[in-house]
Amino acid sequence: MTTALALTSSLQSPARFNMPVPVGNLDAYIQAVNRIPLLSPEEESRYARDFRDNNDLDAAGKLVMSHLRLVVSISRQYLGYGLPQSDLIQEGNVGLMKAVKRFDPDRGVRLVSFAMHWVKAEIHEYVLRNWRLVKIATTKAQRKLFFNLRSMKTGSGTLSDAEIDAMADALDVKRSDVVEMETRLSGGDVALEGQMDDGEEEFAPIAYLSDEHDEPTRVIESRRRDALAGDGLRAALDKLDARSRRIVESRWLAEEGEDLTLHDLAGEFGVSAERIRQIESAALKKMRGTLAEFRA
């Protein structure tokens, strides 16, 4: 049995990884995976190394289980294509397992960032495979129309009002549904990915497949920047002595027009401008080290 198949087989036993008991609907599943605790960076690194070096499937399972909520989050970006969210989640989970198999903890990247690519890739493939079906028939009424409308049409032209009313009555659907399905059937397929024309790729639906406003990568990056600019910067400044902090704040954090030059600070502290530059350089180096620890 290959590693991927063994991992998939192992995940079919929820109790092995402290998964809540099997659930019967999507809402219960989402609630269940949201209760699974997240791993700390140290735990994630340890489990990843155990799986990579020792083929420890229990460790791989813990990595997968702790990131199931990520797949649920990403799947919500693709709900506008008429596909069941449960199917989107299932495809995304396949991508998550592929990501765990290929994840290298020594590259300094968290699994959540690495797995996003694989989860999205699997969901994209699923949407691509089902694009035609999504455009033609999604609801029960549309499926009924899809299988009956062509055989009931007497010609290749547009349906008349009388024909529309007759089909709606015969199929027990709304008149608007008949009009909509006729429009869908008369249109051609739309390529999800753009084609190259004279060296330039045309605009295609793949360009707006997901809503980037709540895209997990952007959200994580934004939160990390906010943390570094707030708590991280305060922690770095608190580790400086009073003179070093005064120099850094006056040179780098003051409002425009209120910042001081090396010579201004030299006069304030009674030392040379070169000495102020040396103190500033040492303070910035110390702050970078503190920020690196905060980021980790």
Side-chain angles (χ1 to χ4, degrees), residues 67-112:
H67 288 79
L68 290 177
R69 67 180 68 190
L70 170 68
V71 177
V72 173
S73 176
I74 294 177
S75 72
R76 294 193 180 103
Q77 300 172 29
Y78 303 90
L79 293 180
Y81 292 88
L83 296 170
Q85 187 179 9
S86 58
D87 291 348
L88 295 171
I89 291 174
Q90 177 174 289
E91 296 296 324
N93 285 343
V94 173
L96 175 60
M97 287 188 285
K98 289 182 178 180
V100 169
K101 182 180 178 181
R102 293 165 174 81
F103 180 59
D104 184 358
D106 295 329
R107 291 187 177 181
V109 178
R110 292 296 302 273
L111 178 56
V112 64

Side-chain angles (χ1 to χ4, degrees), residues 15 116 186 188 190 200 237 240 244 250 272:
M116 286 177 188
S186 63
V190 176
E200 295 185 0
L237 288 171
L240 300 179
S244 298
S250 300
S272 66

Side-chain angles (χ1 to χ4, degrees), residues 23 31-32 36 58 67-68 98 103 106 109 111 113 115 118 136 156 225-226 232-233 255:
V23 293
Q31 292 176 12
I36 300 175
D58 285 335
H67 288 79
L68 290 177
K98 289 182 178 180
F103 180 59
D106 295 329
V109 178
L111 178 56
S113 300
W118 292 96
I136 293 298
S156 59
R225 285 195 302 269
D226 292 344
L233 185 57
E255 296 291 337

Side-chain angles (χ1 to χ4, degrees), residues 50-64:
D50 287 342
F51 178 52
R52 182 193 63 187
D53 300 335
N54 305 316
N55 197 31
D56 186 345
L57 295 183
D58 285 335
K62 289 182 174 66
L63 293 172
V64 171

